[in-house]
Amino acid sequence: EDQVTQSPEALRLQEGESSSLNCSYTVSGLRGLFWYRQDPGKGPEFLFTLYSAGEEKEKERLKATLTKKESFLHITAPKPEDSATYLCAVTPNTGNQFYFGTGTSLTVIP
Amino acid sequence: EAGVAQSPRYKIIEKRQSVAFWCNPISGHATLYWYQQILGQGPKLLIQFQNNGVVDDSQLPKDRFSAERLKGVDSTLKIQPAKLEDSAVYLCASRSQGVWAEKLFFGSGTQLSVL
């Protein structure tokens, strides 16, 4: 069964304190892994797509990496405006399904 | 490019009442998804359409939920009768087709409170 697990559930960081969020997945052939950011009261907003192990993508203070079993979202020197819930999702080779994890709620304290 | 439009933004109903949500996807997007997101959880797929055909509705509680996508464009999701546990945000998303995996574009969602 295709499954996505994210950890930790919640993370509090001081401004400037770097950390990483984890997304572990089990899927019958990975077509793509996606990271989304969700602010309160809004729909998820796309951040990155990763397709194969070893791939990395960067955007401002965020960097996403992918292995055969998991993905990490590294946050370098975070700012309060990075506070949000970060969602991971996978889509398998077998179809157009899109499976989400439960998310990591990030709070960055000034 | 216009995004995914959803309405209403908020809805409050009493249990056993009915409610409907509307979604207009990005123009040209063939695949449309309805997700249910309970507070503190990730989005859970309810139903997936490819054009106007259902691809996956395995997690849709069919005794009370129904959905349609007319002419492969707009979609409506209905709940009848609503239960307390249906309180959630209902997200609509659309996706274009391509050789490689394409990302989902989400609407802002409809926040449903069942009292």
Side-chain angles (χ1 to χ4, degrees), chain A residues 6 9 31-34 36 38 40-49 51 85 87-91 95-103, chain B residues 9-10 31 33 35 37 40-45 48 50 55-56 59 89 91 95 97-109 111:
Chain A
Q6 291 188 247
E9 287 186 13
R31 185 187 295 180
L33 184 142
F34 302 78
Y36 280 82
Q38 187 174 25
K42 296 188 176 181
E45 179 184 340
F46 171 77
L47 291 173
F48 302 110
T49 308
Y51 296 106
T85 295
L87 295 165
C88 171
V90 298
T91 189
N96 273 323
Q97 296 90 345
F98 223 85
Y99 301 107
F100 280 88
T102 53
Chain B
R9 190 76 177 85
Y10 304 94
T31 311
Y33 305 75
Y35 284 88
Q37 188 175 27
Q41 298 183 18
K44 171 191 164 187
L45 179 67
Q48 177 185 339
Q50 183 75 18
V55 173
D56 184 353
Q59 297 194 76
V89 174
L91 294 165
R95 189 183 202 184
Q97 281 186 289
V99 175
W100 297 104
E102 293 286 343
K103 58 184 178 281
L104 294 187
F105 292 84
F106 283 87
S108 295
Q111 185 172 324

Coordinates of all heavy atoms in Angstrom, one line a residue, chain A residues 6 9 31-34 36 38 40-49 51 85 87-91 95-103, chain B residues 9-10 31 33 35 37 40-45 48 50 55-56 59 89 91 95 97-109 111:
Chain A
Q6 N 5.4 11.7 7.6 CA 6.2 12.9 7.8 C 6.5 13.1 9.3 O 5.7 12.7 10.2 CB 5.5 14.2 7.3 CG 5.3 14.3 5.8 CD 4.8 15.6 5.4 OE1 3.7 15.7 4.9 NE2 5.6 16.6 5.6
E9 N 5.9 16.0 13.7 CA 4.5 16.6 13.5 C 4.6 18.1 13.6 O 3.9 18.8 12.9 CB 3.5 16.0 14.5 CG 3.2 14.6 14.2 CD 2.0 14.1 15.1 OE1 1.4 15.0 15.8 OE2 1.8 12.9 15.2
R31 N 6.9 8.1 -9.3 CA 6.9 8.9 -10.5 C 7.4 10.3 -10.1 O 8.2 11.0 -10.8 CB 5.6 9.1 -11.1 CG 5.6 9.8 -12.4 CD 4.3 10.1 -13.0 NE 3.6 8.9 -13.4 CZ 2.4 8.9 -14.0 NH1 1.7 10.0 -14.1 NH2 1.8 7.7 -14.3
G32 N 7.0 10.8 -8.9 CA 7.4 12.1 -8.4 C 7.1 12.3 -7.0 O 6.1 11.7 -6.4
L33 N 7.9 13.1 -6.3 CA 7.7 13.5 -4.9 C 7.6 15.0 -4.8 O 8.4 15.7 -5.5 CB 8.8 13.0 -4.0 CG 8.6 13.2 -2.5 CD1 9.1 12.1 -1.6 CD2 9.2 14.5 -2.0
F34 N 6.6 15.5 -4.1 CA 6.3 16.9 -4.1 C 6.3 17.4 -2.7 O 5.9 16.8 -1.8 CB 4.9 17.1 -4.7 CG 4.7 16.6 -6.1 CD1 4.5 15.2 -6.3 CD2 4.7 17.4 -7.2 CE1 4.3 14.8 -7.6 CE2 4.6 17.0 -8.5 CZ 4.3 15.6 -8.7
Y36 N 4.9 20.8 -0.6 CA 4.0 21.9 -0.6 C 4.1 22.7 0.7 O 4.3 22.1 1.8 CB 2.5 21.4 -0.8 CG 2.1 21.1 -2.2 CD1 2.4 19.8 -2.7 CD2 1.4 22.0 -3.0 CE1 2.1 19.5 -4.0 CE2 1.1 21.7 -4.3 CZ 1.4 20.4 -4.8 OH 1.0 20.1 -6.1
Q38 N 1.6 25.1 3.2 CA 0.2 25.5 3.4 C 0.2 26.5 4.6 O 0.5 26.2 5.7 CB -0.6 24.3 3.7 CG -2.1 24.6 3.8 CD -3.0 23.4 3.9 OE1 -2.6 22.3 4.4 NE2 -4.2 23.5 3.5
P40 N -2.3 28.9 7.1 CA -3.6 28.8 7.6 C -4.7 29.4 6.8 O -4.5 30.5 6.3 CB -3.5 29.5 9.0 CG -2.1 29.4 9.3 CD -1.3 29.5 8.0
G41 N -5.8 28.7 6.5 CA -6.9 29.2 5.7 C -6.6 29.2 4.2 O -7.4 29.7 3.5
K42 N -5.6 28.6 3.8 CA -5.3 28.6 2.4 C -5.0 27.1 1.9 O -4.8 26.2 2.6 CB -4.0 29.4 2.1 CG -4.2 30.9 2.4 CD -3.0 31.7 1.9 CE -3.3 33.2 2.1 NZ -2.1 34.0 1.6
G43 N -5.1 27.0 0.5 CA -4.8 25.7 0.0 C -3.3 25.5 -0.1 O -2.5 26.5 -0.1
P44 N -2.8 24.3 -0.3 CA -1.4 24.1 -0.4 C -0.8 24.8 -1.6 O -1.4 24.8 -2.7 CB -1.3 22.6 -0.5 CG -2.5 22.0 0.1 CD -3.6 23.1 -0.2
E45 N 0.4 25.3 -1.4 CA 1.2 26.0 -2.5 C 2.4 25.2 -2.9 O 3.2 24.8 -2.0 CB 1.5 27.4 -2.0 CG 2.3 28.2 -3.0 CD 2.7 29.6 -2.4 OE1 2.1 30.0 -1.4 OE2 3.7 30.2 -2.9
F46 N 2.6 24.9 -4.1 CA 3.7 24.1 -4.6 C 5.0 24.7 -4.3 O 5.3 25.9 -4.5 CB 3.5 23.9 -6.1 CG 4.7 23.2 -6.8 CD1 4.9 21.8 -6.6 CD2 5.6 23.9 -7.5 CE1 5.9 21.2 -7.2 CE2 6.7 23.3 -8.1 CZ 6.9 22.0 -8.0
L47 N 6.0 23.8 -3.9 CA 7.4 24.2 -3.7 C 8.3 23.5 -4.6 O 9.0 24.2 -5.4 CB 7.8 23.9 -2.2 CG 7.2 24.7 -1.1 CD1 7.6 24.2 0.3 CD2 7.5 26.2 -1.2
F48 N 8.3 22.2 -4.6 CA 9.3 21.4 -5.4 C 8.7 20.1 -5.9 O 7.8 19.6 -5.3 CB 10.5 21.0 -4.5 CG 11.3 22.1 -3.8 CD1 11.2 22.3 -2.4 CD2 12.0 23.0 -4.6 CE1 11.9 23.3 -1.8 CE2 12.7 24.0 -3.9 CZ 12.7 24.2 -2.6
T49 N 9.3 19.6 -7.0 CA 9.1 18.3 -7.5 C 10.4 17.6 -7.6 O 11.4 18.2 -8.1 CB 8.4 18.2 -8.8 OG1 7.2 19.0 -8.8 CG2 8.1 16.8 -9.2
Y51 N 12.2 13.8 -8.8 CA 11.8 12.6 -9.6 C 12.7 11.4 -9.3 O 12.2 10.3 -9.4 CB 11.9 13.0 -11.1 CG 11.0 14.0 -11.5 CD1 11.4 15.3 -11.8 CD2 9.6 13.7 -11.6 CE1 10.5 16.3 -12.3 CE2 8.7 14.7 -12.1 CZ 9.2 16.0 -12.4 OH 8.3 16.9 -12.8
T85 N 2.7 25.0 7.5 CA 2.7 23.6 7.5 C 3.3 23.1 6.2 O 2.9 23.6 5.1 CB 1.3 23.0 7.7 OG1 0.8 23.3 8.9 CG2 1.3 21.5 7.5
L87 N 3.8 20.1 3.6 CA 3.3 18.8 3.2 C 4.1 18.1 2.1 O 4.6 18.8 1.2 CB 1.8 19.0 2.6 CG 0.8 19.5 3.6 CD1 -0.4 20.1 2.8 CD2 0.4 18.5 4.6
C88 N 4.2 16.8 2.3 CA 4.9 16.0 1.3 C 3.9 15.1 0.6 O 2.9 14.7 1.2 CB 5.9 15.1 2.0 SG 6.7 13.9 1.0
A89 N 4.0 14.9 -0.7 CA 3.1 14.0 -1.4 C 3.9 13.2 -2.5 O 4.9 13.7 -2.9 CB 2.0 14.9 -2.1
V90 N 3.3 12.0 -2.8 CA 4.0 11.2 -3.8 C 2.9 10.8 -4.9 O 1.7 10.7 -4.6 CB 4.6 9.9 -3.3 CG1 5.7 10.3 -2.3 CG2 3.6 9.0 -2.6
T91 N 3.4 10.6 -6.1 CA 2.5 10.1 -7.1 C 3.2 8.9 -7.7 O 4.4 8.9 -8.0 CB 2.2 11.2 -8.2 OG1 1.2 10.6 -9.1 CG2 3.4 11.6 -9.0
G95 N -0.4 5.4 -11.8 CA -1.5 6.2 -12.1 C -1.4 7.7 -11.7 O -0.2 8.1 -11.4
N96 N -2.5 8.4 -11.7 CA -2.4 9.8 -11.4 C -2.8 10.1 -9.9 O -3.1 11.2 -9.6 CB -3.4 10.6 -12.3 CG -2.7 11.0 -13.6 OD1 -1.6 11.3 -13.6 ND2 -3.5 10.9 -14.6
Q97 N -2.7 9.1 -9.1 CA -3.0 9.3 -7.6 C -2.0 10.2 -7.0 O -0.8 10.3 -7.5 CB -3.1 8.0 -6.9 CG -4.2 7.0 -7.3 CD -3.7 6.1 -8.4 OE1 -2.7 6.3 -9.0 NE2 -4.5 5.0 -8.6
F98 N -2.4 10.9 -6.0 CA -1.5 11.8 -5.3 C -1.7 11.6 -3.8 O -2.8 12.0 -3.3 CB -2.0 13.2 -5.7 CG -0.9 14.2 -6.0 CD1 -0.3 14.2 -7.3 CD2 -0.4 15.1 -5.1 CE1 0.7 15.1 -7.6 CE2 0.6 16.0 -5.4 CZ 1.2 16.0 -6.6
Y99 N -0.8 11.0 -3.1 CA -0.9 10.7 -1.7 C -0.1 11.7 -0.8 O 1.1 11.9 -1.0 CB -0.4 9.3 -1.4 CG -1.2 8.2 -2.2 CD1 -0.5 7.6 -3.3 CD2 -2.5 7.9 -1.9 CE1 -1.2 6.6 -4.0 CE2 -3.1 6.9 -2.7 CZ -2.5 6.3 -3.7 OH -3.1 5.3 -4.5
F100 N -0.8 12.3 0.2 CA -0.2 13.2 1.0 C 0.1 12.6 2.4 O -0.5 11.8 2.9 CB -1.2 14.4 1.3 CG -1.2 15.4 0.2 CD1 -2.0 15.3 -0.9 CD2 -0.3 16.5 0.2 CE1 -2.0 16.2 -2.0 CE2 -0.3 17.5 -0.8 CZ -1.2 17.3 -1.9
G101 N 1.2 13.2 3.0 CA 1.5 12.9 4.4 C 0.7 13.8 5.3 O -0.1 14.7 4.8
T102 N 0.8 13.7 6.6 CA 0.1 14.5 7.5 C 0.7 15.9 7.8 O 0.0 16.8 8.4 CB -0.1 13.8 8.9 OG1 1.2 13.4 9.3 CG2 -0.9 12.6 8.7
G103 N 1.9 16.1 7.3 CA 2.4 17.5 7.4 C 3.3 17.7 8.6 O 3.2 17.0 9.6
Chain B
R9 N -16.6 30.0 0.4 CA -15.4 29.9 1.2 C -15.6 29.3 2.5 O -14.8 28.6 3.1 CB -14.9 31.4 1.3 CG -13.5 31.5 1.9 CD -12.4 31.2 0.9 NE -11.1 31.4 1.5 CZ -10.5 30.4 2.2 NH1 -11.1 29.3 2.4 NH2 -9.3 30.7 2.7
Y10 N -16.8 29.6 3.1 CA -17.1 29.0 4.4 C -18.6 28.6 4.3 O -19.4 29.2 3.6 CB -17.0 30.1 5.5 CG -15.6 30.7 5.6 CD1 -15.3 31.9 5.0 CD2 -14.7 30.1 6.4 CE1 -14.1 32.5 5.1 CE2 -13.4 30.7 6.5 CZ -13.1 31.8 5.9 OH -11.9 32.4 6.0
T31 N -7.4 16.7 -15.2 CA -7.6 15.9 -14.0 C -8.0 16.9 -12.9 O -7.4 17.9 -12.6 CB -6.3 15.2 -13.6 OG1 -5.8 14.5 -14.8 CG2 -6.6 14.2 -12.5
Y33 N -9.3 16.8 -8.7 CA -9.4 16.1 -7.4 C -10.2 16.9 -6.4 O -10.1 18.1 -6.3 CB -7.9 15.9 -6.8 CG -6.9 15.3 -7.8 CD1 -6.4 16.0 -8.8 CD2 -6.4 14.0 -7.5 CE1 -5.4 15.5 -9.6 CE2 -5.5 13.4 -8.4 CZ -4.9 14.2 -9.4 OH -4.0 13.6 -10.2
Y35 N -10.3 16.8 -2.2 CA -9.7 16.3 -1.0 C -10.4 16.8 0.2 O -11.0 17.9 0.2 CB -8.2 16.8 -0.9 CG -7.2 16.1 -1.8 CD1 -7.0 16.6 -3.1 CD2 -6.5 15.0 -1.3 CE1 -6.1 16.0 -3.9 CE2 -5.6 14.4 -2.1 CZ -5.4 14.9 -3.4 OH -4.5 14.2 -4.2
Q37 N -9.7 17.8 4.2 CA -8.6 18.0 5.1 C -9.1 18.3 6.5 O -9.7 19.4 6.7 CB -7.6 19.1 4.6 CG -6.4 19.2 5.5 CD -5.4 20.2 4.9 OE1 -5.7 21.2 4.2 NE2 -4.1 20.0 5.3
G40 N -5.4 19.6 11.3 CA -4.2 19.0 11.8 C -3.8 17.7 11.0 O -2.8 17.1 11.4
Q41 N -4.5 17.5 9.9 CA -4.1 16.3 9.1 C -3.8 16.7 7.7 O -4.1 17.9 7.3 CB -5.3 15.3 9.1 CG -5.6 14.7 10.5 CD -6.8 13.7 10.4 OE1 -7.1 13.2 9.3 NE2 -7.4 13.4 11.5
G42 N -3.2 15.8 6.9 CA -3.0 16.1 5.5 C -4.2 15.8 4.7 O -5.2 15.2 5.2
P43 N -4.2 16.3 3.5 CA -5.4 16.1 2.6 C -5.6 14.7 2.3 O -4.6 13.9 2.0 CB -5.0 16.9 1.3 CG -3.9 17.9 1.8 CD -3.2 17.2 2.9
K44 N -6.9 14.3 2.3 CA -7.2 12.9 2.0 C -8.1 12.9 0.8 O -9.1 13.6 0.7 CB -8.0 12.3 3.2 CG -8.7 10.9 2.9 CD -9.7 10.6 4.0 CE -10.6 9.5 3.6 NZ -11.6 9.2 4.6
L45 N -7.7 12.1 -0.2 CA -8.4 12.1 -1.5 C -9.8 11.5 -1.3 O -10.0 10.4 -0.8 CB -7.6 11.2 -2.5 CG -8.3 11.1 -3.9 CD1 -8.3 12.4 -4.6 CD2 -7.6 10.0 -4.7
Q48 N -11.3 11.5 -7.7 CA -10.5 12.0 -8.8 C -11.2 11.8 -10.1 O -11.7 10.7 -10.4 CB -9.1 11.2 -8.8 CG -8.2 11.6 -9.9 CD -6.9 10.7 -9.9 OE1 -6.6 10.1 -8.9 NE2 -6.3 10.6 -11.1
Q50 N -10.9 12.3 -14.4 CA -10.1 12.5 -15.6 C -11.1 12.9 -16.6 O -12.0 12.1 -17.1 CB -9.4 11.2 -16.0 CG -8.5 11.4 -17.2 CD -7.2 12.1 -16.9 OE1 -6.8 12.2 -15.7 NE2 -6.6 12.6 -17.9
V55 N -12.0 8.4 -11.9 CA -10.8 7.5 -12.0 C -10.7 6.8 -10.6 O -10.4 5.6 -10.6 CB -9.5 8.3 -12.2 CG1 -8.3 7.5 -12.1 CG2 -9.6 9.0 -13.6
D56 N -10.9 7.5 -9.5 CA -10.8 6.9 -8.2 C -11.8 7.5 -7.2 O -11.7 8.7 -7.0 CB -9.3 7.1 -7.7 CG -9.0 6.4 -6.4 OD1 -10.0 5.9 -5.7 OD2 -7.9 6.4 -6.0
Q59 N -12.3 6.2 -1.7 CA -12.4 6.7 -0.3 C -13.6 7.7 -0.1 O -13.7 8.3 0.9 CB -11.1 7.4 0.1 CG -9.9 6.4 0.1 CD -8.7 6.9 0.8 OE1 -8.7 7.0 2.0 NE2 -7.7 7.4 0.0
V89 N -12.0 21.1 5.9 CA -11.8 21.9 4.7 C -11.8 21.0 3.5 O -11.2 20.0 3.5 CB -10.5 22.7 4.8 CG1 -10.2 23.4 3.5 CG2 -10.4 23.6 5.9
L91 N -10.9 20.7 -0.3 CA -10.0 21.3 -1.2 C -10.2 20.7 -2.6 O -10.4 19.5 -2.8 CB -8.5 21.0 -0.8 CG -8.0 21.7 0.4 CD1 -6.7 21.0 0.9 CD2 -7.8 23.2 0.2
R95 N -4.8 19.4 -12.3 CA -3.5 19.0 -12.8 C -3.6 18.9 -14.3 O -4.5 18.3 -14.8 CB -3.2 17.7 -12.2 CG -1.8 17.2 -12.3 CD -1.7 15.8 -11.7 NE -0.4 15.4 -11.3 CZ -0.1 14.2 -10.8 NH1 -1.0 13.3 -10.6 NH2 1.2 14.0 -10.5
Q97 N -1.8 17.4 -17.9 CA -1.2 16.1 -18.2 C 0.1 16.3 -19.0 O 0.2 17.3 -19.7 CB -2.2 15.3 -19.1 CG -3.3 14.6 -18.3 CD -4.1 13.7 -19.2 OE1 -4.8 14.2 -20.0 NE2 -3.9 12.4 -19.0
G98 N 1.0 15.4 -18.7 CA 2.2 15.5 -19.4 C 3.0 14.2 -19.3 O 2.6 13.3 -18.6
V99 N 4.1 14.2 -19.9 CA 4.9 12.9 -19.8 C 5.4 12.7 -18.4 O 5.4 11.6 -17.9 CB 6.2 13.0 -20.8 CG1 7.0 11.8 -20.6 CG2 5.7 13.2 -22.2
W100 N 5.9 13.8 -17.8 CA 6.4 13.7 -16.4 C 5.3 14.1 -15.4 O 4.3 14.7 -15.8 CB 7.6 14.6 -16.2 CG 8.8 14.2 -17.0 CD1 9.2 14.8 -18.2 CD2 9.6 13.1 -16.8 NE1 10.3 14.1 -18.7 CE2 10.5 13.0 -17.9 CE3 9.7 12.1 -15.9 CZ2 11.5 12.1 -18.0 CZ3 10.7 11.1 -16.0 CH2 11.6 11.1 -17.0
A101 N 5.5 13.7 -14.2 CA 4.5 14.1 -13.2 C 4.3 15.6 -13.1 O 5.3 16.3 -13.1 CB 4.9 13.5 -11.8
E102 N 3.1 16.0 -13.1 CA 2.8 17.4 -13.0 C 2.2 17.7 -11.6 O 1.5 16.9 -11.1 CB 1.8 17.8 -14.1 CG 2.3 17.7 -15.5 CD 3.2 18.8 -15.9 OE1 3.3 19.8 -15.1 OE2 4.0 18.7 -16.9
K103 N 2.6 18.9 -11.1 CA 2.1 19.3 -9.8 C 0.6 19.6 -9.8 O 0.0 19.9 -10.8 CB 2.9 20.5 -9.3 CG 2.8 21.7 -10.2 CD 3.6 22.8 -9.7 CE 3.6 24.0 -10.5 NZ 4.4 23.9 -11.7
L104 N 0.0 19.5 -8.6 CA -1.3 19.9 -8.4 C -1.4 21.4 -8.1 O -0.5 21.9 -7.4 CB -1.9 19.1 -7.2 CG -2.1 17.6 -7.3 CD1 -2.9 17.1 -6.1 CD2 -2.9 17.2 -8.6
F105 N -2.4 22.0 -8.6 CA -2.8 23.4 -8.2 C -4.0 23.3 -7.4 O -5.0 22.7 -7.8 CB -3.0 24.2 -9.5 CG -1.8 24.5 -10.3 CD1 -1.4 23.5 -11.3 CD2 -1.0 25.6 -10.2 CE1 -0.3 23.7 -12.0 CE2 0.1 25.8 -11.0 CZ 0.5 24.9 -11.9
F106 N -4.0 24.0 -6.2 CA -5.1 23.9 -5.3 C -5.9 25.2 -5.3 O -5.3 26.3 -5.4 CB -4.6 23.7 -3.9 CG -4.2 22.2 -3.6 CD1 -3.0 21.8 -3.9 CD2 -5.2 21.3 -3.1 CE1 -2.6 20.4 -3.6 CE2 -4.8 20.0 -2.8 CZ -3.6 19.6 -3.1
G107 N -7.2 25.1 -5.0 CA -8.0 26.2 -4.6 C -7.8 26.6 -3.1 O -7.1 25.9 -2.4
S108 N -8.5 27.6 -2.7 CA -8.4 28.0 -1.3 C -9.2 27.1 -0.3 O -9.0 27.2 0.9 CB -8.8 29.5 -1.1 OG -7.9 30.3 -1.8
G109 N -10.1 26.4 -0.9 CA -10.9 25.4 -0.1 C -12.2 26.0 0.4 O -12.4 27.2 0.4
Q111 N -14.3 25.8 3.9 CA -14.3 25.3 5.3 C -15.7 25.0 5.7 O -16.6 25.9 5.8 CB -13.7 26.4 6.2 CG -13.5 25.9 7.6 CD -12.7 26.8 8.5 OE1 -11.7 27.5 8.0 NE2 -13.1 27.0 9.7

